[in-house]
Amino acid sequence: MSALKMDDFGGRLPTQVESATADQLRQIIASQSKDGEATNLTVANAEGKSETITLSPALTTSLMQLLRLVSGRQGFQMVPLSADLTTQQAADLLNVSRPYLIRLLERGEIKFIKVGRHRRVKAEDLFAYKAKRDDERENALTDLAALDSEFILEEE
């Protein structure tokens, strides 16, 4: 058996062959898909018979994002919304330090539970906080850009 785990990308980057294969599959799916519509793919099953698979728009988009990561030889992590995360995992996903995350938890900005002495964060709650944080940042940048344009107009 190879030194690489062949069942997933846990903790490793895609190989050059995996990257090329993902890029080829990405191009095939892209050529068959139209925005907002289901994508029909015809594939051969184990017996060599053709079967048509219909991908919903959401599944097509998700699969394309995954294939872009693999074809770009980038690492990735799939996290089910129902997963219970350690504080270190949650901090890593938010790209913040663990102490900063714990302050967010203690201030009640992100829900958590305690398992013994350890805090656990539901991925769903973490992603909801991240979406809210990103929206607030985007709104603040929009407001700042508007103020900047007003300031420039006043100077002229």
Side-chain angles (χ1 to χ4, degrees):
M1 175 150 161
S2 166
L4 296 176
K5 286 176 61 176
M6 300 314 274
D7 56 340
D8 67 17
F9 290 104
R12 71 174 180 88
L13 296 176
T15 65
Q16 205 164 7
V17 170
E18 290 167 335
S19 172
T21 303
D23 193 49
Q24 184 179 15
L25 181 55
R26 183 188 59 78
Q27 289 177 27
I28 291 168
I29 294 172
S31 72
Q32 301 299 310
S33 64
K34 295 179 184 145
D35 273 349
E37 294 182 22
T39 302
N40 293 314
L41 299 175
T42 304
V43 295
N45 65 18
E47 294 84 38
K49 294 182 182 174
S50 293
E51 292 185 35
T52 298
I53 298 172
T54 301
L55 304 176
S56 69
L59 185 55
T60 300
T61 300
S62 296
L63 188 54
M64 291 294 284
Q65 289 172 348
L66 174 71
L67 291 171
R68 273 188 205 97
L69 291 172
V70 175
S71 66
R73 298 194 70 192
Q74 296 181 43
F76 64 92
Q77 187 175 27
M78 294 176 68
V79 181
L81 290 176
S82 61
D84 286 332
L85 306 171
T86 66
T87 52
Q88 187 60 61
Q89 291 169 324
D92 289 346
L93 287 170
L94 287 181
N95 199 27
V96 298
S97 69
R98 187 176 162 278
Y100 180 77
L101 176 84
I102 290 172
R103 286 195 297 274
L104 292 174
L105 298 177
E106 296 301 327
R107 287 193 310 235
E109 294 189 39
I110 304 171
K111 290 190 247 178
F112 71 96
I113 59 170
K114 276 205 159 183
V115 178
R117 295 179 18 202
H118 303 282
R119 297 172 189 87
R120 296 289 183 260
V121 179
K122 283 266 185 224
E124 183 175 17
D125 295 330
L126 184 75
F127 293 137
Y129 168 80
K130 186 177 184 305
K132 180 183 168 207
R133 179 194 70 179
D134 292 349
D135 284 345
E136 289 172 354
R137 286 179 176 177
E138 186 175 335
N139 291 337
L141 284 172
T142 300
D143 292 346
L144 189 59
L147 287 173
D148 188 45
S149 66
E150 286 176 20
F151 180 72
I152 290 171
L153 290 175
E154 288 175 6
E155 285 187 340
E156 292 177 357

